[in-house]
Amino acid sequence: MKKQFIIFAFAATLLASCADEFDRNFQVGRPDKLEQYGYLSDYKPLKEYIDQSKYPNFKLGVGTDAADYAKQGVAYVVTNTNFTETVAGNAMKMASCIDDNGNMSFGTVEEYVQAATAAGLSVYGHTLAWHAQQPIKWLNAILADKPLPVDPNAPTVDTWVEQITNGNCEGGEATNFVVREPGNPDVNRIDDGVGVDGSRGIQVHSVDNPTNDWDTQFFIYTPDHVWQSGDEYEFTMKIRADRDASVSLQAHDTPGAYIHWAMLAGSYNFTTEWQTVTFKGEISGDQAGGGGMRTIAFNLNVDKAANTYYFDDMSWKALVKASGPVTFMEDLITNGDMEGTDNRNFISKEAMNGGGTYNSPILDGIGKDGSRGVQVISSAGAAQDWDTQFWILLPEALQAGTKCHVEFDYKASMPASADTQAHADPGAYQHWACIGSPSFTTEWQHYTRDVTISSEMAGGAGMKSVAFNLSKDKANDVTFYFDNIVFEVEKESASGGIPQTDEEKRDTLMWAMDRWVNGMMNACKNEEGTEVLVKAWDVVNEAISGGNPDSEGVYALQHNNGSATDFFWQDYLGDIDYVRTVVGLARKYGGNDLKLFVNDYNLESDWDQNGKLKSLIKWIERWEADGVTKIDGIGSQMHISCYMNPQTQESKKKAIENSFKLMAATGKLVRISELDMGLVDENGNDVQTPDVTEEQHHAMADYYKWIIQKYFEIIPVAQQWGICQWCATDSPAGSGWRANSPVGLWDVNYYRKHTYAGFADGLSGK
């Protein structure tokens, strides 16, 4: 503390010496118009008009260029002479401290905070979380696609890969061969002496007078390779029989799980001599079915007389193509675990509710392990299987050939079955089969299925929903439960990488926000690093959109608007959590005694009866609803204009007065955070600085006086934080902010204006 006092004493001495060196225009009116402006020389510095005994917490701030202030020139002296608080216009924003490569630099911030504190001013921080002036190149870079892991075994050219082990039957491995003979269990088997030239092979005995062609079967089965629609293959084998006969071939999933009536050539004629059969083709959508095929089934009872069939030298090769476009699986379901409220992907139709479709309610306590889930009730007496349905609705239409992975948890109030269909929009039927037919029990089960969309499923416009037909049990009321729904589709990445998931992006940005807030709070500490010198912050800036009200009439938050220069944290962290996150981090690294404000513009709007302010107040209630998040104050920017049309001006004043009342009623601290004033003539035209008349100039001064007095009158003393004049001087022509507008209390040459007197009179209560 002793060291800090010495610094302050030195700064005071320096201020006095600087004042001697500068032309002290900032303390006088224009010398070329003494009759109009001479009286301004009698005014004291603005901060001397604050009655601190009456308004002990009030701070008079000014927007400051930190680099200009550090030069300790006229801006430094004007700030220190007239104000008690300073706010950096840009230096403390994220893009000013983090470059395109993510490197953080707080040198300007440290110099500014130390100098202002030494001069006896408080520093107000602006701003921690905003969508503008962000290091957008770096933020986009850390959200970029993940590089695809390199598979050293991936073929560099198209390659035929054998899917059968021990196809010549000379070894002992029989995993790929299943024999089904009447009266015997299915068996994996290779027999001695029955192959070509007396080698090992497989023999299967059919029976006389079978009931079905498939009573005797031989299966060639690839348990670890699922053949999907469009897969290319080559097949060859040697066959014979004890007598001439014909057999048919089918596509199955596992042996016996029929999918389609034809496979390979569809049928073969066996003779008593060994012959080689070959086939080269492509798996069709019908053969792949909903989840893909793994088995060729030979039906050996097409001829009804008993016979013995022999098989040897079998080969079933898949074409593995050279590495092409990078693919990845993307989950299309939002809130699949149903722990949030978003139910856009879940649609129900219940006969008991009139048979219309609606977004499925997500209910507490009915999901797996007592979590949240969806329930659909099928009533007894249904006429059709589809009288009660549940749909998984996808955000895009899937075309033929799209590879999908589906899984979910499910149960029912009693054992029940359900079919699934492919639909376009819910109710727009396209195909009778989709992702299989789950069998429901009263215990939770996990269902998983890999599916390639067939042309029948896609229809003409693509498949957009999966329908569960839940009215197969016509005699009973059955309640069906769903939870943890995943519907992934294979996508190609133009970037050559795999996009991060929403959860990965969230985690990445949580890290970035933590790093940023921690770095800034450390930069705002004293030289010993023991105390954070910046005690108040715009923790969130310009959150409210000003439109798109919800069912409560509350405006939506701002979100991505297509601008390449903005970055909206809420798009990734969520409307609620992004605010809670930055508030929590500010208190973690800056201390619980920080005062945190939400700052926004147009809170004094008259065109919507202060609708934006009312929405902000409602959003603060939502952010604070967790009982942990605490927002201390509201900052109203008040970039306003003085209107020479009396009716318009009166409307504006009423809206300002109402905004003060609304903010006061919250019990929060209230700060006018960025006050500046332009001028609009009676015809609604903006007036530039050189064209302002004396009458108009005095009207602006009166308006400043009125605003400040209303602030003191309406805002309770305990809730007064203060007023920050955003522009000390008029804005020069060509400026990026209200160019050539009379927004200052001083002109561009630092001569006092009539608005200076209006401001001082408002502070003094004249």
Side-chain angles (χ1 to χ4, degrees):
M1 294 300 292
K2 183 176 180 181
K3 180 179 180 182
Q4 193 168 350
F5 174 78
I6 292 171
I7 293 173
F8 179 77
F10 170 75
T13 303
L14 178 63
L15 180 57
S17 64
C18 288
D20 290 337
E21 295 174 10
F22 294 133
D23 180 350
R24 302 181 68 88
N25 289 356
F26 64 89
Q27 291 189 340
V28 299
R30 289 175 56 180
D32 60 328
K33 292 188 176 181
L34 289 177
E35 182 177 351
Q36 296 97 327
Y37 291 88
Y39 77 101
L40 292 170
S41 302
D42 296 330
Y43 274 81
K44 296 179 294 184
L46 290 174
K47 66 183 180 182
E48 295 185 26
Y49 289 100
I50 304 169
D51 186 346
Q52 296 290 175
S53 64
K54 191 174 181 180
Y55 308 115
N57 305 318
F58 185 86
K59 299 164 188 66
L60 183 60
V62 67
T64 306
D65 184 300
D68 197 19
Y69 182 86
K71 296 175 184 176
Q72 298 194 353
V74 64
Y76 176 85
V77 177
V78 169
T79 298
N80 295 346
T81 301
N82 287 276
F83 300 93
T84 64
E85 186 169 78
T86 176
V87 184
N90 289 302
M92 300 176 82
K93 293 171 181 173
M94 195 175 184
S96 299
C97 303
I98 301 181
D99 67 17
D100 290 345
N101 297 313
N103 301 308
M104 296 198 301
S105 176
F106 294 100
T108 300
V109 173
E110 292 168 349
E111 185 178 7
Y112 166 64
V113 170
Q114 294 286 340
T117 303
L121 276 69
S122 62
V123 177
Y124 186 95
H126 178 75
T127 181
L128 290 180
W130 192 24
H131 60 267
Q133 292 181 253
Q134 305 296 285
I136 192 164
K137 288 185 179 179
W138 176 64
L139 291 171
N140 285 335
I142 64 176
L143 296 179
D145 295 351
K146 298 173 293 184
L148 183 74
V150 176
D151 181 2
N153 299 314
T156 57
V157 297
D158 290 357
T159 304
W160 290 98
V161 178
E162 181 63 66
Q163 303 301 317
I164 295 178
T165 301
N166 192 30
N168 64 6
C169 300
E170 294 310 302
E173 177 62 56
T175 301
N176 300 118
F177 314 124
V178 180
V179 175
R180 175 175 293 177
E181 295 171 320
N184 297 315
D186 289 359
V187 63
N188 296 99
R189 189 179 74 202
I190 296 177
D191 304 303
D192 292 330
V194 301
V196 176
D197 298 325
S199 63
R200 287 165 58 82
I202 297 167
Q203 67 177 4
V204 186
H205 301 287
S206 68
V207 297
D208 271 321
N209 301 313
T211 303
N212 302 298
D213 293 355
W214 52 87
D215 284 355
T216 305
Q217 290 178 296
F218 172 57
F219 304 99
I220 298 178
Y221 172 45
T222 59
D224 298 323
H225 184 84
V226 181
W227 300 82
Q228 301 288 359
S229 176
D231 286 353
E232 297 180 48
Y233 66 94
E234 289 183 343
F235 183 87
T236 182
M237 67 187 307
K238 294 178 180 178
I239 58 174
R240 79 174 184 89
D242 282 352
R243 64 178 188 78
D244 293 351
S246 177
V247 304
S248 64
L249 287 79
Q250 298 172 338
H252 286 208
D253 182 2
T254 56
Y258 169 83
I259 296 176
H260 190 61
W261 56 270
M263 186 59 194
L264 300 181
S267 64
Y268 286 107
N269 293 318
F270 282 61
T271 67
T272 58
E273 300 296 326
W274 284 104
Q275 59 178 312
T276 300
V277 296
T278 61
F279 192 87
K280 185 174 183 178
E282 181 178 296
I283 302 296
S284 70
D286 289 334
Q287 292 168 341
M293 67 157 289
R294 288 180 286 182
T295 304
I296 303 172
F298 293 76
N299 296 330
L300 304 181
N301 274 132
V302 174
D303 287 332
K304 306 308 180 184
N307 202 350
T308 301
Y309 298 86
Y310 303 90
F311 304 86
D312 197 2
D313 294 338
M314 291 159 282
S315 173
W316 192 4
K317 294 179 181 179
L319 179 63
V320 179
K321 295 187 177 181
S323 298
V326 174
T327 61
F328 62 95
M329 299 302 290
E330 178 184 348
D331 191 0
L332 300 184
I333 303 301
T334 300
N335 191 34
D337 63 4
M338 304 190 186
E339 293 311 296
T341 59
D342 195 327
N343 60 351
R344 74 183 73 176
N345 298 122
F346 316 126
I347 306 294
S348 296
K349 181 182 78 171
E350 295 172 314
M352 59 185 281
N353 288 323
T357 60
Y358 54 91
N359 286 95
S360 309
I362 298 176
L363 305 176
D364 292 331
I366 66 165
K368 187 177 182 182
D369 299 323
S371 62
R372 290 163 61 79
V374 165
Q375 72 176 22
V376 186
I377 301 174
S378 174
S379 304
Q384 306 291 345
D385 291 358
W386 52 86
D387 283 359
T388 297
Q389 290 178 294
F390 172 66
W391 286 270
I392 300 174
L393 175 62
L394 306 176
E396 59 187 66
L398 304 184
Q399 303 302 320
T402 303
K403 295 181 179 181
C404 309
H405 172 76
V406 186
E407 57 183 273
F408 53 88
D409 292 317
Y410 66 112
K411 75 169 188 173
S413 59
M414 61 185 296
S417 61
D419 294 328
T420 62
Q421 300 174 336
H423 285 207
D425 287 323
Y429 169 84
Q430 296 194 149
H431 190 57
W432 58 269
C434 192
I435 62 170
S437 301
S439 294
F440 289 74
T441 69
T442 57
E443 300 296 326
W444 283 103
Q445 301 178 81
H446 188 73
Y447 189 85
T448 182
R449 191 85 168 190
D450 292 315
V451 180
T452 298
I453 304 300
S454 67
S455 58
E456 294 85 358
M457 294 161 66
M463 189 191 92
K464 199 170 181 182
S465 61
V466 178
F468 292 75
N469 294 336
L470 303 180
S471 289
K472 291 176 73 67
D473 185 337
K474 308 295 193 296
N476 298 291
D477 292 342
V478 184
T479 303
F480 297 85
Y481 302 91
F482 298 87
D483 195 3
N484 300 317
I485 296 176
V486 172
F487 198 111
E488 296 177 329
V489 299
E490 186 178 81
K491 296 287 186 73
E492 290 187 3
S493 171
S495 70
I498 303 173
Q500 295 182 46
T501 65
D502 290 345
E503 189 61 32
E504 288 172 330
K505 290 179 180 179
R506 177 186 174 87
D507 289 345
T508 298
L509 289 179
M510 292 283 279
W511 165 81
M513 181 66 81
D514 187 293
R515 176 175 180 261
W516 152 242
V517 175
N518 187 16
M520 177 56 79
M521 292 302 162
N522 282 325
C524 293
K525 289 181 177 178
N526 60 7
E527 289 186 342
E528 293 81 5
T530 58
E531 180 186 6
V532 176
L533 301 176
V534 181
K535 302 294 187 182
W537 276 90
D538 288 332
V539 66
V540 173
N541 197 47
E542 299 179 0
I544 312 300
S545 69
N548 301 313
D550 62 18
S551 60
E552 297 182 78
V554 178
Y555 292 158
L557 297 194
Q558 297 211 56
H559 285 280
N560 190 339
N561 55 10
S563 170
T565 59
D566 290 338
F567 185 89
F568 294 85
W569 293 85
Q570 52 267 46
D571 285 351
Y572 303 94
L573 303 185
D575 289 352
I576 298 295
D577 283 350
Y578 101 98
V579 174
R580 290 178 177 174
T581 296
V582 70
V583 169
L585 291 172
R587 298 203 188 280
K588 175 181 177 180
Y589 295 117
N592 287 324
D593 60 341
L594 285 187
K595 300 301 180 185
L596 302 179
F597 289 73
V598 177
N599 187 50
D600 219 321
Y601 60 92
N602 285 347
L603 304 187
E604 74 290 344
S605 54
D606 62 338
W607 55 86
D608 63 352
Q609 294 76 50
N610 303 103
K612 190 172 184 181
L613 173 56
K614 294 171 185 175
S615 296
L616 174 56
I617 292 169
K618 193 67 178 179
W619 273 107
I620 291 174
E621 292 175 4
R622 294 173 180 177
W623 294 324
E624 292 184 327
D626 61 352
V628 176
T629 303
K630 180 186 177 186
I631 294 166
D632 299 289
I634 298 174
S636 178
Q637 293 184 12
M638 288 189 68
H639 299 297
I640 60 173
S641 291
C642 177
Y643 288 80
M644 298 309 294
N645 180 293
Q647 290 77 25
T648 303
Q649 182 70 354
E650 185 61 26
S651 176
K652 301 295 181 184
K653 291 171 74 172
K654 285 182 178 179
I656 290 173
E657 188 170 357
N658 194 47
S659 75
F660 289 163
K661 292 177 181 177
L662 288 167
M663 288 187 285
T666 67
K668 304 288 186 185
L669 295 169
V670 178
R671 179 172 181 263
I672 301 179
S673 58
E674 301 178 25
L675 179 62
D676 55 21
M677 186 184 298
L679 178 67
V680 179
D681 66 20
E682 291 183 355
N683 297 316
N685 301 310
D686 289 333
V687 180
Q688 295 191 330
T689 302
D691 302 321
V692 178
T693 66
E694 284 292 300
E695 177 190 4
Q696 292 170 334
H697 195 169
H698 280 290
M700 294 177 72
D702 290 341
Y703 198 14
Y704 269 116
K705 177 181 176 179
W706 179 87
I707 290 169
I708 296 167
Q709 289 181 340
K710 282 296 178 182
Y711 177 90
F712 284 131
E713 173 191 325
I714 296 172
I715 307 301
V717 171
Q719 292 176 244
Q720 294 175 4
W721 182 269
I723 297 174
C724 175
Q725 174 65 22
W726 197 238
C727 300
T729 68
D730 290 341
S731 184
S735 169
W737 178 251
R738 303 188 81 165
N740 208 17
S741 293
V743 290
L745 306 182
W746 289 266
D747 67 18
V748 291
N749 296 311
Y750 280 96
Y751 289 115
R752 289 174 177 172
K753 298 168 50 182
H754 295 313
T755 50
Y756 183 98
F759 206 103
D761 292 345
L763 293 171
S764 68
K766 280 188 177 180

